[in-house]
Amino acid sequence: MQEHVFDLPHGSGNPRNSEGSFVHLQDGRILFVYTRYNGENWHDHSAADLAALESADDGSTWGNARIIKKNDAANIMSVSLLRLQDGRIALLYLRKSVLSPDRMDCRPWLCFSADEGQSWSEARDITGLPPVYLVINNDRLIQLQNGQLLLPVAWHRYNLSGVDMRSIALFFLSDDGGSTWRESKEWVLPPAKIGTGFQEPGVCQCQDGQVLAYFRTSAGAQYEANSQDGGETWSIPQLSRYFPSPAAPLSMKLDPKTGELFAVWCDRDPRWDIAPVEGSWGRTPLVLARSQDNGLSWHGHRILEQKPDHGYCYTAMHFTEKTLLLAYCCGGGKNSSVLQDLRIRRISL
């Protein structure tokens, strides 16, 4: 059984709602933080704040939005929320600033809450790098079994024409709960002929300790790699036989109760017989599948969304006692673009 719970459509003065992340609070409530655009422009570099919703009934209903982080740059977006092993909540997001008419700086900033999201420490740049363009999707920061924080990053270099859409996958690690960061020992380099490179990487640690990484590509499917040492070194990336997809992101999470992996992505397997049309960006249908063997095989495929003229992407995933909460962009059709509207879906497991 699945239940569509809550929509956040765009509106006047709020041209886009998208890219969020969930965390459980100690009193049982669920906090959801997302990107709430203001003004009239919904594009990635436009003005936006970070807004929060709360649910006191396991995600069945949600209260009114409140702003928790005002925009202090050209744009802030792509939130990750994470309950750390020391009890704090980490909030990581991308902050973009204008360098010149054709150059922007984009990098991750991080802050913490020690009072269940009521207040946040001063956010800071975790990299200290010179001007750079680093892309991190929403809901990507994880804490490994050994306590280290792991953050997958797509590095887009600048060429003579501007930002290069081909990206290289990097991984940032913190050994001290987010106070300091370093790069892992290895990058993951894409084959030269993939026009996207390895965009929008994600990571998930399996029950057996290995870390899986996955990458958005223009090769007709996700690429995959794995690490046996907590993200320091990586296997040679391979084209996935389980995740055919357009150039759109995949999301994956471990169910902490069962050890199963769950994945959500735009599945372009011919068996669905769903042909995307204009307005969808090719990002339909949205499919959920699960793995009981640490990602070696996937089963239980089910369609979550399938409108041919809508697109579904940038999915946040969160397990409660009996359900899986998903939040994803769901725009399209005549009245919106793919990234303008947000949906929270509650699925009974």
Side-chain angles (χ1 to χ4, degrees):
M1 182 185 75
Q2 60 187 41
E3 177 187 355
H4 161 213
V5 178
F6 192 74
D7 275 341
L8 279 166
H10 73 284
S12 178
N14 172 210
R16 170 175 165 181
N17 296 307
S18 63
E19 294 121 12
S21 187
F22 300 95
V23 71
H24 250 103
L25 302 179
Q26 290 179 347
D27 63 3
R29 290 174 297 147
I30 300 170
L31 177 68
F32 177 67
V33 177
Y34 66 99
T35 309
R36 186 187 189 280
Y37 280 67
N38 53 62
E40 299 302 325
N41 197 321
W42 60 266
H43 293 285
D44 280 352
H45 296 163
S46 300
D49 303 316
L50 301 184
L53 302 171
E54 291 182 3
S55 173
D57 54 11
D58 205 43
S60 293
T61 61
W62 296 85
N64 295 325
R66 59 185 172 91
I67 302 300
I68 65 166
K69 186 71 67 175
K70 292 289 291 183
N71 186 27
D72 61 353
N75 171 270
I76 56 176
M77 65 181 296
S78 293
V79 177
S80 288
L81 285 173
L82 182 65
R83 171 73 68 179
L84 302 180
Q85 292 174 7
D86 64 14
R88 295 176 299 160
I89 299 173
L91 187 156
L92 183 136
Y93 59 93
L94 287 180
R95 183 178 184 273
K96 302 173 186 175
S97 54
V98 177
L99 301 175
S100 68
D102 60 348
R103 296 285 193 277
M104 295 200 76
D105 182 89
C106 180
R107 63 183 64 219
W109 283 54
L110 178 65
C111 58
F112 302 95
S113 177
D115 57 8
E116 299 303 287
Q118 295 305 303
S119 64
W120 300 89
S121 64
E122 184 177 354
R124 63 179 183 84
D125 166 24
I126 72 171
T127 69
L129 292 171
V132 69
Y133 203 94
L134 303 175
V135 173
I136 300 159
N137 277 23
N138 61 303
D139 202 36
R140 291 305 208 214
L141 176 65
I142 69 169
Q143 188 162 32
L144 302 176
Q145 295 166 3
N146 65 5
Q148 287 181 309
L149 301 181
L150 178 60
L151 182 65
V153 180
W155 172 46
H156 292 261
R157 72 182 186 92
Y158 275 106
N159 57 30
L160 296 179
S161 302
V163 67
D164 192 334
M165 295 310 296
R166 298 170 298 176
S167 61
I168 293 171
L170 311 175
F171 301 89
F172 292 160
L173 286 158
S174 176
D175 306 308
D176 54 13
S179 294
T180 60
W181 293 80
R182 59 183 175 84
E183 286 189 33
S184 65
K185 295 177 181 178
E186 293 183 354
W187 298 359
V188 178
L189 302 176
K193 293 184 178 181
I194 296 180
T196 54
F198 284 165
Q199 296 178 345
E200 299 182 335
V203 289
C204 182
Q205 187 170 36
C206 302
Q207 198 171 33
D208 65 1
Q210 72 168 314
V211 180
L212 305 182
Y214 41 92
F215 315 96
R216 160 184 161 170
T217 77
S218 56
Q222 302 283 313
Y223 260 72
E224 302 172 320
N226 66 78
S227 173
Q228 303 298 327
D229 56 9
E232 292 282 8
T233 62
W234 295 90
S235 65
I236 296 173
Q238 304 290 331
L239 188 69
S240 172
R241 59 194 177 110
Y242 293 111
F243 300 125
S245 72
L250 177 144
S251 294
M252 187 185 298
K253 282 282 177 77
L254 175 76
D255 183 342
K257 287 182 60 179
T258 67
E260 281 187 295
L261 297 177
F262 284 70
V264 179
W265 77 106
C266 301
D267 189 3
R268 298 301 296 275
D269 192 300
R271 65 178 155 175
W272 302 123
D273 194 27
I274 296 171
V277 300
E278 184 178 359
S280 71
W281 299 2
R283 297 179 177 183
T284 188
L286 188 69
V287 170
L288 171 72
R290 55 210 298 175
S291 173
Q292 295 175 321
D293 54 13
N294 300 309
L296 293 176
S297 63
W298 293 84
H299 66 278
H301 292 65
R302 57 193 289 192
I303 290 180
L304 303 174
E305 303 275 8
Q306 57 181 321
K307 287 185 177 180
D309 62 347
H310 281 59
Y312 309 98
C313 48
Y314 300 105
T315 303
M317 307 175 69
H318 184 71
F319 290 95
T320 74
E321 185 66 23
K322 296 181 180 180
T323 66
L324 172 61
L325 295 178
L326 305 176
Y328 49 88
C329 298
C330 64
K334 296 180 180 180
N335 298 318
S336 73
S337 187
V338 167
L339 301 180
Q340 288 186 262
D341 300 326
L342 181 66
R343 176 166 296 157
I344 297 176
R345 182 178 289 271
R346 182 176 184 269
I347 301 173
S348 298
L349 299 178

